[in-house]
């Protein structure tokens, strides 16, 4: 009987489908690793986007307001129709004040006002936004669970559905960076039904499987491209190892711009 080494050296294989089966298994594992990488980056983009909005959103709004005030002051002074048009356009860019429902959307919990809303109404300092970035341990647990329970490894529809539901919970816990829940899910998976070994399939089904994997990879490649080309994705690529420092640098730049606009507005008012 030929050994694996014999086969690697070009000896005849035991079954015609054996090489194709190995190719399918390799493609499955490669796709899972790629999907893990895409999901990891998606979580990073989502978390950085949330922090970016929480930390820098008020500064952008202040800049828009100052630009509108400056344009309006210039238009009032000159009376020029072109200046008035610029003033109207600048004012349209300013975000309108939210209504009460919008203002408190997401700020209510089962006990009433959330701590953030209560702090604002009582003039206490609002706690900074919670940083949600999965730790190295959370990343390790997520990768292990994704490799073990990935739906693409299922050969039967019921098993695929079970895996999809489980991976949805894994993704949610990973997005929160919740190590404790990830450990619980790892224990749950280990105690659950063992995955059934793949049955011997005809060559036609193996080819169809390879084609499906190729299409899935194309879809994931498109998703990854959209993430990388997004504004937040581009920012993350600028500082992949220290995104917090990038936020600090952008905040410093915005504060300097706010100071410049306020000085310009003060000069217009004084003139």
């Amino acid at each position: 009987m030929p050994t694996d080494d014999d086969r690697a050296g070009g000896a005849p294989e035991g079954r015609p489908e054996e090489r194709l089966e190995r190719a399918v298994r390799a493609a499955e594992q490669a796709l899972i690793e790629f999907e893990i990488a895409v999901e990891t980056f998606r979580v990073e983009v989502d978390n950085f986007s949330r922090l970016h909005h929480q930390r820098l959103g008020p500064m952008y709004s202040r800049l828009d307001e100052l630009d509108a005030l400056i344009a309006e002051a210039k238009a009032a002074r000159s009376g020029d129709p072109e200046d008035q048009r610029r003033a109207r356009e600048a004012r349209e860019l300013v975000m309108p004040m939210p209504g009460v429902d919008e203002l408190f959307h997401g700020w209510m919990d089962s006990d009433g006002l959330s701590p953030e809303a209560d702090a604002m109404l009582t003039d206490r300092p609002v706690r900074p936004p919670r940083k949600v970035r999965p730790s190295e341990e959370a990343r390790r647990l997520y990768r292990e669970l994704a490799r073990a329970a990935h739906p693409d490894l299922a050969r039967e529809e019921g098993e695929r559905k079970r895996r999809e539901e489980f991976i949805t919970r894994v993704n949610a816990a990973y997005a929160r960076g919740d190590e404790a829940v990830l450990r619980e899910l790892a224990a749950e998976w280990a105690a659950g039904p063992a995955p059934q070994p793949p049955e011997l399939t005809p060559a036609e089904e193996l080819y169809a499987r390879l084609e499906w994997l190729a299409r899935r990879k194309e879809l994931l490649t498109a998703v990854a491209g959209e993430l990388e080309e997004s504004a937040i994705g581009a920012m993350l690529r600028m500082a992949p190892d220290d995104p917090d420092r990038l936020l600090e640098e952008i905040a410093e730049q915005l504060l300097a711009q706010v100071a410049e606009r306020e000085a310009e507005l003060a000069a217009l008012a004084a003139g």
Side-chain angles (χ1 to χ4, degrees), residues 61 64-65 90-100 102-103:
S61 297
D64 288 342
E65 175 66 24
R91 177 54 61 186
E92 289 172 356
L93 293 176
V94 178
M95 293 292 291
M97 285 295 293
V100 174
E102 294 176 286
L103 187 62

Side-chain angles (χ1 to χ4, degrees), residues 27-40 143 146-147 150 220:
E28 287 172 344
Q29 291 303 316
L31 181 67
I32 288 171
E33 293 300 322
F34 185 41
E35 196 156 350
I36 288 172
V38 172
E39 176 65 16
T40 299
R143 286 188 172 92
R147 292 186 185 110
H150 201 284
L220 288 172

Side-chain angles (χ1 to χ4, degrees), residues 236-267:
L236 275 176
R237 291 203 307 274
M238 293 171 58
D241 298 326
D242 193 4
D244 291 328
R245 179 55 191 162
L246 178 60
L247 278 180
E248 294 295 333
E249 292 175 356
I250 297 173
E252 291 171 5
Q253 295 171 6
L254 291 177
L255 285 173
Q257 294 175 30
V258 166
E260 291 174 1
R261 303 290 204 287
E262 288 177 339
E264 182 179 357
L265 183 62

Side-chain angles (χ1 to χ4, degrees), residues 45-200:
V45 168
D46 287 349
N47 289 334
F48 190 77
S49 178
R50 181 165 54 253
L51 290 173
H52 180 272
H53 177 73
Q54 290 174 330
R55 174 71 191 277
L56 306 182
M59 297 185 192
Y60 287 120
S61 297
R62 178 59 176 162
L63 280 173
D64 288 342
E65 175 66 24
L66 287 169
D67 285 339
L69 291 172
I70 290 170
E72 289 165 350
K74 290 179 177 178
R77 172 177 293 186
S78 70
D80 187 288
E82 186 64 18
D83 287 343
Q84 293 173 353
R85 181 188 64 78
R86 294 192 184 99
R88 288 194 299 271
E89 291 178 350
R91 177 54 61 186
E92 289 172 356
L93 293 176
V94 178
M95 293 292 291
M97 285 295 293
V100 174
D101 291 341
E102 294 176 286
L103 187 62
F104 289 103
H105 177 69
W107 288 55
M108 304 288 290
D109 54 29
S110 58
D111 297 321
L113 286 177
S114 69
E116 291 87 351
D118 181 68
M120 291 184 69
L121 294 176
T122 56
D123 293 327
R124 290 198 301 272
V126 181
R127 66 186 182 189
R130 185 169 65 94
K131 296 179 181 178
V132 184
R133 287 204 184 91
S135 64
E136 286 302 318
E137 177 64 10
R139 288 169 181 257
R140 183 189 67 79
L141 290 166
Y142 169 72
R143 286 188 172 92
E144 289 182 356
L145 284 167
R147 292 186 185 110
H150 201 284
D152 288 349
L153 296 177
R155 289 294 186 275
E156 187 267 328
E157 188 57 32
E159 175 65 9
R160 174 180 289 276
K161 183 176 180 181
R162 181 178 79 91
R163 286 170 176 261
E164 287 176 346
E165 293 173 350
F166 183 80
I167 286 296
T168 296
R169 296 162 59 200
V170 170
N171 287 342
Y174 177 65
R176 297 192 305 271
D178 196 329
E179 291 182 22
V181 172
L182 287 171
R183 290 193 186 93
E184 291 174 1
L185 289 168
E188 177 183 329
W189 182 258
Q196 296 298 315
E199 298 180 359
L200 186 63

Side-chain angles (χ1 to χ4, degrees), residues 175-241:
R176 297 192 305 271
D178 196 329
E179 291 182 22
V181 172
L182 287 171
R183 290 193 186 93
E184 291 174 1
L185 289 168
E188 177 183 329
W189 182 258
Q196 296 298 315
E199 298 180 359
L200 186 63
T201 56
E204 292 79 8
E205 292 190 17
L206 290 171
Y207 278 117
R209 180 69 174 163
L210 278 177
E211 290 175 358
W212 183 90
L213 291 168
R215 291 195 300 270
R216 178 66 175 166
K217 184 178 180 181
E218 288 179 2
L219 174 63
L220 288 172
T221 300
V223 171
E226 291 176 1
L227 288 171
E228 291 175 353
E229 293 172 7
S230 67
I232 296 297
M235 292 172 66
L236 275 176
R237 291 203 307 274
M238 293 171 58
D241 298 326

